[in-house]
Structures are given as C-alpha cells and as structure tokens.
Amino acid sequence: MKKLINDPRAVVDESVEGFGLAHADLVTVSSEPKFITRKDAPVAGKVGLVSGGGSGHEPLHGGFVGLGMLDAAVPGAVFTSPTPDQIIPATLAVNSGAGVVHIVKNYTGDVLNFETAAEMAEAEGFQVRTVLVNDDVAVEDSLYTAGRRGVGGTVLVEKIAGAAAERGDDLDAVAAIGDRVNRNVRSMGVALSACTVPHAGVPSFDLEENEIEIGIGIHGEPGRHRIPMENADAITDRLLEPILSDLGIASGDKVLLFVNGMGGTPQSELYIVYRRAAQVLADKGVTVERSLVGNYITSLEMQGCSITVLRLDDELTGLWDAPVHTAALRWGI
C-alpha cells in the first residue's frame, strides 16, 4: 500500500487540519471535538444545515461548508460515523435561533448518531429537523443500512436545501425542500477497483482484473452483481436504466444529470459516461437542464463512477442556480 500519509491513525486529524489551513477564508475547524463550520457561523436569522459521515468521501462533507450549502460538517473516522459528541456541538455552533436541519445519509451508524444528537439538542430547547437521503437504487439493504443507501444525491440535497436556507426559508420549509429533492433523485454506481482504508492496509474487496461490480456502495459494499468488464457505453446503460425506471422519468421531463467520480477515475472518462447518459436521455425526450461532472462524493481511491438523476421543476432549478461559495462548489458570487 502506497499512500501520502504519516500515521494511519492520524489520517483524518491531519487531513482536516490541512483542509482548515487551506480554506481558512471559508471555514473554521474545531479539533476537540472535530467539526467544521463556515467562517461566519452562526448566520443571524438563518436555518443552520449540518451534515457529516465517515471520512474518505472528500470533498463530501467538509468541502461543501460555506455560503449557500452547509453551515457545518462533522467528519468521522474513515468510513465510520461521527459521534453524537461531535454532532451536538456542531449543531449548537450553527444555531442562530431559527433551528437546524440535519442532512443524514441512510447508513445505520449515521442515522443512530444523528438521531441521538438531535434528541439531546431538542432536550436543551433547540429545534432540529432531519432529512434522510436514500437515493441509491442498487440495493434495498446492505451491510451498512436498513433500506436504500444515501449516495450521490446527498450533494444535490445539500446544495438545494442550502440555497433554501440562504434565501430565508424557515426550518420546516428547508427540511421540506430537502425531502423533495430526495424523493426526486436516484443514483447508482460501479466499481472498477477496490479502495484501501489506511488503517486496514489491504483492499476492501477483491475484483479480478476483468471484473467490475455494478451497484457498489461508497464504502465498498457489494452491489447488484459482478460482471466481466464492458465498454463505457454499456456500463452507463446498466447504471442509467434502473435509475430512470425507479424514478419514472418520462418524455418531457427536465433533469439534472450528475456523473460522479469515485476518487480514482480520470475526468476524461467521466465525460465519456456523461456523453452516453446525455444521449440516452435525449433519445427518451428528456431535457438535461443542469449538469455536474467530477469527484464530489468519493470512496478514497476507488476507480469507478456513479450516475445521479434529479427531476427538476422551476423552483429546484432556481435553487440549484443560486450562489454558492464552498471549497468544492462555487458559482454565482
């Protein structure tokens, strides 16, 4: 295993410290306990947004802290949920009196720990709402979840709910927008290779040189099936068809198409996948109104990608277009 690290046990601490130094104009990093807040938090009168999860998925979630997205991110150990002891102070740090929305990917540890933190915050008199993201169509249950996993759609929920909070929506309205995005978004991924968790030192699963895993999770969880390697168009079709079927996309619909890299795939290959997905959607009479291509929710150095499709309406499109200024996503400023 070759990695640019010092001590496998210090990877998250040193990475978060470096992130804070690199983006000191945007964020503040708390080390004990570990969480990241936007520089101007709490923003007076604004609903706070907090998300988090295991590290190893960068830029999710810390890279999305800033104007127009998250107010705080809580990083756990690699592929391990943050603890309530981290989530609670992050929640309180961004509460301006308007309440806080937790955006939680549907993994058992994340759900339980954010739920505990919300209950404890509410016991202290704070208002908390939770948006649960479960956009993965690959499997209903996995090693980490009861029900569908939260994957690429998380980025879109954070951006659009963040824009709603930034324009001044109240607590219930921001949560409702997040839930609406989740109901209208679906994702599916593929792995061409496994990733290696630093403290484990070995790949998280085995794939033969000519094999790929269709429907992989962002922690290396098994997908729908393992098949021989195919060309990019065939793989794209395998990912896109279940998404469109599950979402009920039809001719005349408008969508956001998001092709996400898992950490080890060149941008050029992601655009090849995007090209095919856009062709398929056009052939079905579906208009791609907005797009996003790049590494936004990764699995360390895993080779592969995911495709996410969000059904748009005028309000969701406007919220997507609203200004955002974070380390990983920025426009309109």
Side-chain angles (χ1 to χ4, degrees):
M1 179 184 73
K2 295 179 182 178
K3 288 184 178 290
L4 291 172
I5 62 176
N6 297 306
D7 180 346
R9 296 165 297 183
V11 166
V12 175
D13 287 344
E14 293 181 357
S15 177
V16 172
E17 181 182 356
F19 176 82
L21 292 171
H23 302 290
D25 58 324
L26 296 175
V27 303
T28 300
V29 172
S30 168
S31 57
E32 293 294 337
K34 189 180 292 87
F35 62 90
I36 302 162
T37 57
R38 57 187 277 182
K39 197 75 174 178
D40 56 351
V43 180
K46 190 184 87 67
V47 171
L49 264 67
V50 178
S51 192
S55 296
H57 306 303
E58 289 77 16
L60 195 83
H61 294 273
F64 302 129
V65 173
L67 184 147
M69 282 191 81
L70 298 176
D71 294 272
V74 191
V78 175
F79 294 175
T80 303
S81 171
T83 65
D85 288 347
Q86 295 172 265
I87 301 166
I88 293 167
T91 300
L92 301 186
V94 303
N95 181 66
S96 69
V100 175
V101 172
H102 287 168
I103 298 174
V104 184
K105 301 187 303 299
N106 190 32
Y107 294 92
T108 301
D110 289 4
V111 171
L112 292 176
N113 287 346
F114 270 92
E115 185 177 78
T116 298
E119 290 173 352
M120 295 178 72
E122 287 173 336
E124 295 295 322
F126 298 94
Q127 289 186 297
V128 180
R129 301 287 184 272
T130 299
V131 174
L132 187 67
V133 185
N134 58 354
D135 57 307
D136 189 3
V137 302
V139 292
E140 287 295 334
D141 298 287
S142 75
L143 301 174
Y144 294 78
T145 67
R148 293 183 169 186
R149 306 175 289 214
V151 286
T154 312
V155 178
L156 311 189
V157 171
E158 291 179 356
K159 168 63 183 81
I160 292 173
E166 205 73 54
R167 75 179 177 184
D169 288 14
D170 66 22
L171 182 63
D172 289 332
V174 172
I177 285 283
D179 287 335
R180 190 162 118 215
V181 174
N182 184 62
R183 289 195 304 272
N184 284 281
V185 69
R186 300 289 187 276
S187 301
M188 192 166 173
V190 60
L192 280 61
S193 69
C195 61
T196 299
V197 176
H199 64 263
V202 295
S204 55
F205 58 93
D206 295 318
L207 271 178
E208 297 297 330
E209 183 62 30
N210 67 334
E211 287 183 324
I212 59 175
E213 182 89 18
I214 299 290
I216 197 74
I218 57 174
H219 307 95
E221 310 96 310
R224 286 190 172 190
H225 42 259
R226 188 167 293 189
I227 63 171
M229 181 66 186
E230 297 179 324
N231 66 33
D233 284 0
I235 292 171
T236 302
D237 291 349
R238 286 185 182 273
L239 299 181
L240 192 57
E241 189 282 326
I243 291 170
L244 301 182
S245 176
D246 197 274
L247 198 51
I249 291 292
S251 178
D253 281 342
K254 298 176 181 180
V255 302
L256 186 158
L257 175 59
F258 172 27
V259 175
N260 174 68
M262 301 303 290
T265 302
Q267 192 88 356
S268 58
E269 295 178 23
L270 298 181
Y271 280 117
I272 292 172
V273 172
Y274 181 92
R275 166 188 169 274
R276 174 60 179 175
Q279 289 173 344
V280 171
L281 289 166
D283 290 345
K284 293 181 178 294
V286 177
T287 301
V288 178
E289 289 273 291
R290 299 292 184 271
S291 60
L292 186 66
V293 181
N295 289 283
Y296 292 101
I297 173 170
T298 62
S299 186
L300 295 171
E301 82 282 18
M302 181 187 287
Q303 290 181 289
C305 72
S306 61
I307 297 175
T308 298
V309 176
L310 168 64
R311 180 189 285 109
L312 290 172
D313 56 35
D314 289 345
E315 183 180 28
L316 295 185
T317 303
L319 290 169
W320 177 257
D321 289 345
V324 59
H325 192 72
T326 69
L329 210 64
R330 56 182 70 183
W331 57 69
I333 302 295

